[in-house]
Amino acid sequence: MELRQIKYFIEVAKREHVTEAADAMHVAQSAVSRQIFNLEEELGVNLFIREGRSVKLTPIGEMFLQQMEQAVKLIDNAKRKVEEYLDPEKGTVHIGFPSSLAGYTLPTAISAFRERYPEVKFQLNQGSYTYLIDGVIKGDFNMAIIGPVPKKTKKITGKTLFTENIVALLPLNHPLADKKLIKISDLREDPFILFPNGYILREIIVNACAQLGFEPSVAFEGKDIDAIKGLVSAGLGVTLIPEITLIDSLPRATVKIPLVEPNVTRTVGVIIPTERELLPTELLFYEFLSEFFSILDRYQN
């Protein structure tokens, strides 16, 4: 069994089409077909059900795919580990992040890190809260910036970097727009603009409202922070939003107001796997994050 055969197999399994897999890997279709045939001959089982050049995995093929994907990740990590031990300041950091930390937090940290290690490269993966946790557990990437920091989740450990406030973002013509502070209960009758169900920021906001005995009326939903800010800017409702997402500027025709009763916060930190070691370059960045946000926190306070 050769690594080349395994990579051909994985690509065909993902695309369910031999020609498309060959095109993606820049090799001849016949070469891919031959290697898959050789692999099946060696294993003594059919990995695919064939329908012309379209294919579907057999049950044993699906099991084999799961195992081989993990094997290839281990091989790739081992190769990277050797390369980075030779020179960790020229390696690559694979990291996940949510949209709420994409505008300021992560870019600021990466920019500061690359001033110290200018040849380090980054491979970024944006996604939802559960996507980031699952990605670290499965080994799609070895760390993620996340908020809030999960507690008691198996196979990962989290380090809190800072705690931030959740604030109200209102249209400029809102009756409470001139207030210095507002209570969440003051927004009881307002239409809310939130992330869809399943997003952690929605859960934080709904739980805060529940503490005061009401459920927010959700008029619109947005899957990223900029969409939500844009809908508030258009006057379509109000939202509660991490303050750091507004650090550079407010959206047009909106106002940011701190919350009281209750004061809503979230932790922001980094998660890593408990069952795998960080690669040398990733370890450099992981250690840098704690140092960087500790200094930043002292400066801001």
Side-chain angles (χ1 to χ4, degrees):
M1 190 183 306
E2 300 176 5
L3 182 59
R4 177 178 57 177
Q5 290 176 326
I6 300 305
K7 290 188 173 181
Y8 285 0
F9 162 74
I10 291 173
E11 195 67 31
V12 172
K14 287 194 308 184
R15 297 178 182 275
E16 296 187 338
H17 199 282
V18 175
T19 302
E20 290 180 7
D23 290 343
M25 302 188 77
H26 307 290
V27 296
Q29 178 267 323
S30 59
V32 174
S33 296
R34 184 171 59 255
Q35 291 300 329
I36 296 296
F37 175 80
N38 291 342
L39 180 60
E40 290 179 318
E41 282 283 297
E42 180 179 346
L43 294 172
V45 295
N46 290 325
L47 299 172
F48 294 103
I49 301 168
R50 289 164 174 79
E51 300 172 354
R53 289 207 171 95
S54 294
V55 296
K56 289 188 180 298
L57 285 168
T58 63
I60 193 67
E62 290 179 358
M63 181 278 294
F64 189 68
L65 174 64
Q66 293 175 4
Q67 297 295 321
M68 290 302 99
E69 284 181 324
Q70 292 301 315
V72 169
K73 285 176 186 175
L74 287 172
I75 291 169
D76 288 344
N77 276 349
K79 289 169 63 179
R80 284 178 54 208
K81 198 166 189 177
V82 171
E83 292 168 356
E84 292 179 14
Y85 269 120
L86 294 174
D87 194 347
E89 296 183 15
K90 293 184 179 180
T92 300
V93 175
H94 293 71
I95 188 167
F97 65 98
S99 68
S100 63
L101 299 173
Y104 176 79
T105 304
L106 185 59
T108 302
I110 289 176
S111 177
F113 180 77
R114 293 191 79 246
E115 286 183 9
R116 187 180 298 181
Y117 305 108
E119 296 187 67
V120 168
K121 298 175 287 295
F122 282 81
Q123 183 172 326
L124 306 176
N125 300 270
Q126 183 175 333
S128 68
Y129 191 74
T130 54
Y131 165 83
L132 298 175
I133 293 173
D134 289 345
V136 171
I137 291 173
K138 293 176 181 176
D140 296 333
F141 36 87
N142 278 339
M143 69 171 70
I145 300 286
I146 199 168
V149 180
K151 298 178 180 178
K152 298 180 180 179
T153 301
K154 292 181 179 179
K155 298 186 178 181
I156 63 169
T157 183
K159 176 189 291 186
T160 298
L161 300 172
F162 61 92
T163 300
E164 66 169 335
N165 290 321
I166 305 292
V167 298
L169 185 69
L170 312 181
L172 199 56
N173 61 359
H174 192 280
L176 301 176
D178 61 347
K179 298 290 186 181
K180 299 296 184 185
L181 299 168
I182 62 172
K183 302 175 184 179
I184 295 179
S185 57
D186 294 335
L187 304 173
R188 182 186 298 264
E189 303 302 323
D190 281 277
F192 274 71
I193 300 165
L194 300 180
F195 282 93
N197 281 319
Y199 281 70
I200 191 67
L201 277 174
R202 181 187 180 114
E203 184 179 325
I204 290 172
I205 294 165
V206 169
N207 287 345
C209 294
Q211 290 181 41
L212 301 175
F214 76 98
E215 182 177 341
S217 174
V218 181
F220 296 93
E221 295 178 339
K223 290 187 176 181
D224 66 68
I225 211 80
D226 288 332
I228 290 173
K229 291 191 289 188
L231 291 169
V232 176
S233 178
L236 299 177
V238 305
T239 196
L240 306 182
I241 197 170
E243 188 171 20
I244 207 161
T245 65
L246 303 168
I247 199 164
D248 288 328
S249 63
L250 285 173
R252 177 185 59 84
T254 66
V255 60
K256 175 187 77 172
I257 304 178
L259 294 169
V260 293
E261 297 182 20
N263 177 33
V264 186
T265 63
R266 73 163 178 174
T267 56
V268 174
V270 57
I271 58 173
I272 60 173
T274 57
E275 298 180 351
R276 301 187 310 276
E277 291 183 2
L278 294 181
L279 297 174
T281 306
E282 293 169 337
L283 184 59
L284 275 182
F285 187 60
Y286 179 75
E287 293 172 343
F288 172 84
L289 286 172
S290 295
E291 173 194 345
F292 175 73
F293 283 103
S294 174
I295 293 171
L296 194 64
D297 183 61
R298 289 200 301 270
Y299 174 77
Q300 290 177 338
N301 292 321

